[in-house]
Amino acid sequence: MPVDPLVPAHRHGPAGNGVALLIGHGAIIIGAVPKTPEAALARSLLAWYRRHGRDLPWRRTRDPYRVWVSEVMLQQTTVRAVVPYYRRFLGRFPTLRALARAPLPRVLAAWSGLGYYRRARHLHAAARIIVKDHAGRFPSRPDQVRALPGVGRYTAGALLSIVFGRQEPVVDGNVARVLSRLFLMRGDARGRASQERLWDLARGLVRAAPADPGDLNQALMELGATLCSPLAPRCPLCPVARRCRARAAGAQEAIPGRRRARAPVDLAATLVLVARRGRFLMRRRRRTGLMDGLWEFPALEGDQGGAGAAVSGDLRLEPLERVATLRHTITYRRLRIEVRRARLLSEPRGRDYRWVSPAGARRLPASSLVAKVLGSLPPGQAPRHRV
DNA sequence: TTCCAGGCTT
DNA sequence: AAGCCTGGAA
């Protein structure tokens, strides 16, 4: 058994003793006296979570499929953004088998606007793997869960603890913040040593809550998401503020240290709207690593904003008047986008082109940029007939 | 206008 | 270590 750096060897042992109170004629267990620091923390966190945890849709089920969908959506995405997508997604794909049967474009369409579209591909691929290799039953073995595409250390731990009640730790951004504050971890929280320390701490805590590992993990995440915020944490409301070393040191806002972002790159692009019979021409992106397989309005290549013929992939066209200007950011790219009408000089060919009504565009797999473009068009700029 | 949170993959 | 996306806060 690995030595836990937090706990002196003689402190290892049962988590606590029951304390009985006699009230009237009955004996009532009112709680356990924690024997270890972890047990004390776990007990406070669990009590707080049960009283103050938010009522979220995926907390009303233990269906592995539903919890899995929520966890993948919650990767790099806030609860507020996820909730409507989660409901819609499960409306369209109510079961793992339904998801596995669905064509990928339908899955991507349900994901449109949520970002990080690789997650949707992974989810879909993993559903098919589960049907094929696990008879449609979500695996409960850590190695099998971890082997699914799109399931890393965090997501595996979340699923195993929440759905299968296993004592597996989780460290997401919220947990990392909570733990680095509780244990006053100065220095770069993203370094390898810090990460291992965080996972060790999380493991120690989840093992101190053997009856409710999933709730313990969710309590840590909930605390980070609600009270233990990056800025202005609400320590007076925190169930473990008394045990927080960062707070004792007055350093809660300084921990963990901020990540230095990659310098943004400014780019200019021109998107073209080609209208025909009330529809716009759209094209499906190829595999570039960026919004793979999503539909978009054709972009002019390079610096072709001026007059005359221009090229967009295998398309030749003539840009016309500008109808909108907007900004869009993708990771470190800051795009300044001009939207221009255009006239075709060559006919689009193949499955990667479609003529789409504005309503139809909102049903295709597409990034938020498409919605942004459609929303930026002035009234009366809807597609019109053009000879 | 800028900054930021937020896991997985390669 | 770098890249992926978006919405909301500062």
Side-chain angles (χ1 to χ4, degrees), chain A residues 98-181:
Chain A
L99 177 62
R101 274 196 306 270
L104 177 61
R106 273 195 70 219
V107 180
L108 289 171
W111 208 270
S112 290
L114 197 54
Y116 293 114
Y117 299 95
R118 211 157 29 175
R119 295 180 296 174
R121 294 176 171 275
H122 285 149
L123 197 67
H124 185 242
R128 294 192 164 179
I129 289 171
I130 293 168
V131 167
K132 189 164 171 284
D133 296 349
H134 303 292
R137 303 247 313 167
F138 201 94
S140 58
R141 263 174 46 191
D143 58 322
Q144 292 174 336
V145 175
R146 187 68 175 72
L148 297 170
V151 177
R153 200 176 180 183
Y154 161 78
T155 307
L159 287 170
L160 289 162
S161 63
I162 295 169
V163 173
F164 299 111
R166 300 183 70 129
Q167 295 176 58
E168 294 282 343
V170 299
V171 176
D172 67 354
N174 286 316
V175 175
R177 186 169 56 254
V178 169
L179 293 180
S180 60
R181 285 173 174 169

Side-chain angles (χ1 to χ4, degrees), chain A residues 318-350:
Chain A
E318 178 186 6
L320 302 171
E321 79 277 13
R322 184 177 69 207
V323 294
T325 302
L326 49 92
R327 297 197 153 276
H328 189 70
T329 303
I330 302 176
T331 56
Y332 60 87
R333 299 174 189 80
R334 282 196 305 217
L335 301 171
R336 181 181 174 280
I337 293 172
E338 285 202 340
V339 184
R340 308 184 82 94
R341 293 190 166 281
R343 179 171 85 80
L344 287 178
L345 301 175
S346 69
E347 196 59 19
R349 303 208 168 276

Side-chain angles (χ1 to χ4, degrees), chain A residues 155-238:
Chain A
T155 307
L159 287 170
L160 289 162
S161 63
I162 295 169
V163 173
F164 299 111
R166 300 183 70 129
Q167 295 176 58
E168 294 282 343
V170 299
V171 176
D172 67 354
N174 286 316
V175 175
R177 186 169 56 254
V178 169
L179 293 180
S180 60
R181 285 173 174 169
L182 272 175
F183 296 94
L184 194 66
M185 293 172 59
R186 298 189 187 273
D188 181 9
R190 281 159 298 279
R192 193 183 169 77
S194 296
Q195 281 299 309
E196 283 320 302
R197 173 102 203 278
L198 289 170
W199 280 93
D200 285 344
L201 292 169
R203 189 174 298 110
L205 283 175
V206 79
R207 286 184 180 167
D212 319 277
D215 280 358
L216 186 282
N217 284 337
Q218 294 197 80
L220 281 172
M221 296 190 275
E222 188 76 354
L223 188 61
T226 58
L227 301 182
C228 196
S229 44
L231 296 173
R234 294 149 74 186
C235 301
L237 299 178
C238 175

Side-chain angles (χ1 to χ4, degrees), chain A residues 219-266:
Chain A
L220 281 172
M221 296 190 275
E222 188 76 354
L223 188 61
T226 58
L227 301 182
C228 196
S229 44
L231 296 173
R234 294 149 74 186
C235 301
L237 299 178
C238 175
V240 291
R242 282 180 311 136
R243 299 173 167 275
C244 181
R245 291 181 55 200
R247 182 166 195 245
Q252 62 270 24
E253 287 228 25
I255 294 176
R258 300 269 176 274
R259 162 208 306 263
R260 46 192 177 290
R262 185 202 204 286
V265 175
D266 287 301

Side-chain angles (χ1 to χ4, degrees), chain A residues 1 4 6-7 11-16 32-46 50 166-169 183 200-217 220:
Chain A
M1 174 173 179
D4 190 320
L6 276 184
V7 184
R11 304 290 296 273
H12 281 288
V33 176
K35 272 196 162 175
T36 68
E38 288 98 331
L41 281 169
R43 187 165 167 272
S44 300
L45 288 165
L46 283 171
R50 285 173 183 148
R166 300 183 70 129
Q167 295 176 58
E168 294 282 343
F183 296 94
D200 285 344
L201 292 169
R203 189 174 298 110
L205 283 175
V206 79
R207 286 184 180 167
D212 319 277
D215 280 358
L216 186 282
N217 284 337
L220 281 172

